[in-house]
Amino acid sequence: LPEFYQNHLKSQLTLAEYIFLKILLHLLQSIKKVSLEKLASALPLPIKFESRRKRIQRFLSLPNLTIEKVWFPIIEEILKRYFAPEKIIYVAIDRTNWCRINLFMVSIIWDKRAFPVYFKLLPKLGSSNINEQKEIIDKIIPLFINYKICVLGDREFCSVKLAKYLQELGLYF
């Protein structure tokens, strides 16, 4: 992990939690599976499988492990390091279904790639509505307070209400 990731994570977690996170990240990189059972099987602790699984679940439900507390400060640091305030930052919004999972995603377009900023699991199937779109945009706008933003979206996001809202915020779209 880059040094500023490590410094921030150390400030949010106890030493034991930080070490456990490093172990989990190493396991994810080596087994390449995002499955609680696969992680628990590979976790190098001399305890029963079920105890390892519960340990991972407890860790993942820590109150400090939220997007706002862990990821947003890292995004702010990335913006400071790699984006000049006078340049336009392209922010993509997208919603997709994976089987029965309805995911709303916000990403920065950077070096021909989408870099994730925020996501929300929507509690329903189908398209997002203007209230959900506003809620998510309101959540990420403080990250970009010193930057010019252009919001990109597909045909799901072509509503006049959303355009007026983005215009009120002073965003390009």
Side-chain angles (χ1 to χ4, degrees), residues 25-84:
L25 288 174
H26 177 73
L27 289 175
L28 283 169
Q29 290 173 341
S30 60
I31 65 174
K32 296 176 179 32
K33 302 271 184 195
V34 183
S35 160
L36 194 57
E37 284 71 26
K38 296 276 186 196
L39 285 171
S41 293
L43 190 62
L45 293 177
I47 54 179
K48 291 181 181 178
F49 169 82
E50 189 60 27
S51 299
R52 291 191 304 264
R53 192 174 68 72
K54 285 181 182 178
R55 171 94 189 259
I56 295 169
Q57 284 178 318
R58 281 193 308 273
F59 176 77
L60 293 175
S61 62
L62 287 172
N64 286 2
L65 287 183
T66 64
I67 292 174
E68 293 84 356
K69 289 182 181 179
V70 173
W71 191 236
F72 281 7
I74 290 172
I75 294 294
E76 288 172 339
E77 184 63 30
I78 289 170
L79 290 170
K80 279 187 228 171
R81 287 180 183 221
Y82 299 107
F83 294 90

Side-chain angles (χ1 to χ4, degrees), residues 8 10-11 16 28 30 49 73 97 101 107-108 110 113 117 130 134 141 150-151 156 164 168:
H8 178 66
K10 285 178 186 175
S11 74
L28 283 169
S30 60
F49 169 82
N97 284 327
I101 298 171
S107 302
I108 296 171
W110 183 22
R113 302 238 184 324
V117 173
I130 186 66
K134 282 181 174 182
I141 284 302
C150 180
V151 178
E156 179 177 337
K164 285 182 180 180
E168 288 170 8

